[in-house]
Amino acid sequence: MAEAIQEGEYWRWPETVWVDESKNWKEAEVISCGIDLGSVSTQAVIMLDGELYAYASFRTGSSSLDSSERVVKAVLEKIGDLKLEDIHYIVGTGYGRVSIPFAHKTITEIACHGRGANFLYGPTVRTILDMGGQDLKAIKVDERGKVVNFLMNDKCAAGTGRGVEVMADLLAIPITEVGPLSLQVEEEPEPVSTTCVVFAKSEVLGLMRKGWPKERILAAYFRAMASRVVELLERVGVEEDFAITGGIAKNIGMVKRIENMLGVKALKPDFDTQIAGAVGAALFGRALYLKGKKKK
Amino acid sequence: MATITINGDKYEVEAGSTILEAALENKVYIPNLCYHPNVSSAVGMKPIHEIFRGKEKFESGNDEPYEGCGLCVVEVTGGEIVKACHQKVENGMEIVTETDQLTSLRQKALIKIFSHHPHVCITCEYREGCDRIQCTFGNPVEERCCDLFPKCELRFIAEYVGLSSDTPKYTFEDLPVVEETLYRWNFNLCVNCTRCVRGCREVREATALGFIMQDDALVGRTGPTDKESGCKFCGVCVEICPTGVVRDIKKPPRNKWRDSVQDKMLAPTKSLFELIKENLATVPEAPGVYRLYDENQELIYIKGTPDLKQDLMEEEEIREEAKFFDYEEYEMYTMRESELIQEYLQRHGRMPPLNDELDDLF
């Protein structure tokens, strides 16, 4: 479903729809669905008896309601014959979670991220950094993925996905390429002086005028972002294993820099890191269905 | 025993106790800062001749006693205003703890404190849901609150009393920061309440800390280094300080003195309503966040909802343990819910008990 990049839309990352063709939903006892309606992106995950079956990851539109419908429709279409009514339990999460009319229950994204990361990365995960579109969360969990502490900043988009999008656009480099490109510097430049999206933009314009190559500018910006993130992590205390979720986990330039500054390696994912919240929601959905909790 | 009246309610209290002790014992909050249950009242304490902040020496300008922080003022029979931490109860005494005049006096006392203490985060509208690492308003780090913010006693007092618009901006004064054997002293955060001085003297019976009088009290150590001051490294000062002046550098060893320091009753953050049908009539059918409290007014649940009234009506029906509630209207209530849970977690180190109800879903 990846579309060709249109001119002036370098920030736009590929939208994905995926289904595990080897599984058959008709054989499943419990079909659960998790929808994570975030500020920048929306994911829907469908699980069969607690196993990952299908997901879609789209950009959140101006209407939360349309976004949740669109993403679910896309994943159902990809599966083909599965209907919304066939799903036993739907859990909504994310900031827009209450705008999902077909959800049976809503659960906070913090709980869902913890649970989802535990499933995706295994029970050894203790510290999760969720780098979302417009906020940052450092979450500590126990061996079951239950949240024991978290720290977030939802007041400032510095160091978040939106900041990376702005830089991609400014430098005219597709968002999927900014990470690898930023590593193609012989020596790390000094970080830009601020991660504030607005101020960094003018600082980067200045560097462009000075004739800095793009990879060097990206390196300078990502370094500043990484040190801001590391400060947040150190405040909650990093306990291994450590994992990064959210869109920025796909940015190798950020992941490497965070790892270097922390001196801790992040677990390597073999799936889309943006779906962690929706996976957690789907797992809660299954448990709620089995518990026979009354639908809301 | 003595019988007193506080804000119209009668209480049987210990004769010889102070008004503040009697009130707190009965869960009536009176703003206070320099008071601490482990030590005697600050009022009338005599200064010493010299103190040190690191190598820097300060000498007393006069021998006037310290008069206390001035926050615990109350009105007693006859309209006289007294310091509740100092004035003893008398049989038949009638005490009023909240009047406009008292609020104004307390605000004046806070102006004095906050002129020399960072407070930009306390008055910031974004204070919840902020990690205080990146400041949206670009306030320099030295002017922001320290990492004890979620539990800060001073902050709860300020929120309770309300800061006057005359409170000046704090400017960083670059006072000494001393890091030695076990503790780090950051005098930029000191409000000179003398609690550590009394803790050192009365709890540990040492004389490592003292204060002098210049225009006001100035707290410091009695020697240029921890050892020269006669510090016994008990850590009582760390426990008793209402701000973040003195902090452990290493994981603190336990000892009986340190363990004996009690927690203070903090200023209640909001006035609560009893969770009964009559009180729900005034709740708006609007989005927001509500909080539920048990019979001891301990917070048990935080929840955001598109319809406060409907949800609270349901809670009233099903939740037996919830006896009180409060709420705030907030358009982005899912975000607000996360912010308030974060606040709670940082203050208590655990989730509110009913927010943990997902426990059986793992």
Side-chain angles (χ1 to χ4, degrees), chain B residues 150-303:
Chain B
K151 299 176 186 174
C152 176
E153 188 178 327
L154 206 48
R155 168 195 171 190
F156 290 109
I157 297 170
E159 284 181 8
Y160 181 89
V161 176
L163 285 190
S164 134
S165 53
D166 297 334
T167 312
K169 184 178 181 299
Y170 162 80
T171 341
F172 183 56
E173 293 165 11
D174 202 8
L175 301 178
V177 179
V178 189
E179 203 168 299
E180 285 169 342
T181 321
L182 285 182
Y183 314 116
R184 177 175 188 268
W185 287 79
N186 181 354
F187 287 103
N188 290 295
L189 300 175
C190 184
V191 294
N192 297 298
C193 68
T194 73
R195 255 157 68 168
C196 59
V197 178
R198 285 169 284 147
C200 188
R201 289 180 190 167
E202 298 172 25
V203 180
R204 189 60 185 86
E205 293 173 342
T207 51
L209 302 171
F211 74 98
I212 55 155
M213 272 320 243
Q214 290 182 336
D215 297 337
D216 221 324
L218 191 75
V219 169
R221 305 188 310 177
T222 53
T225 63
D226 47 14
K227 292 195 181 84
E228 284 169 89
S229 71
C231 177
K232 296 194 191 301
F233 303 102
C234 64
V236 165
C237 50
V238 181
E239 298 295 327
I240 212 164
C241 176
T243 72
V245 180
V246 51
R247 304 287 296 275
D248 294 301
I249 301 172
K250 300 171 191 142
K251 197 175 181 305
R254 292 187 72 97
N255 63 56
K256 64 173 180 186
W257 299 285
R258 197 167 175 150
D259 288 348
S260 75
V261 179
Q262 300 164 37
D263 284 338
K264 274 184 72 168
M265 175 181 176
L266 293 181
T269 39
K270 281 254 171 77
S271 51
L272 306 184
F273 308 98
E274 210 179 327
L275 186 58
I276 47 172
K277 286 221 165 59
E278 296 90 273
N279 283 342
L280 294 174
T282 53
V283 177
E285 292 169 21
V289 180
Y290 62 88
R291 293 183 282 195
L292 301 179
Y293 301 79
D294 68 9
E295 60 203 353
N296 299 318
Q297 307 202 353
E298 298 285 343
L299 193 148
I300 51 176
Y301 192 47
I302 299 170
K303 178 92 166 76

Side-chain angles (χ1 to χ4, degrees), chain A residues 98 296, chain B residues 285-288 303-309 311 333:
Chain A
V98 285
K296 201 179 159 188
Chain B
E285 292 169 21
K303 178 92 166 76
T305 164
D307 188 337
L308 285 165
K309 189 171 208 152
D311 268 43
Y333 52 91

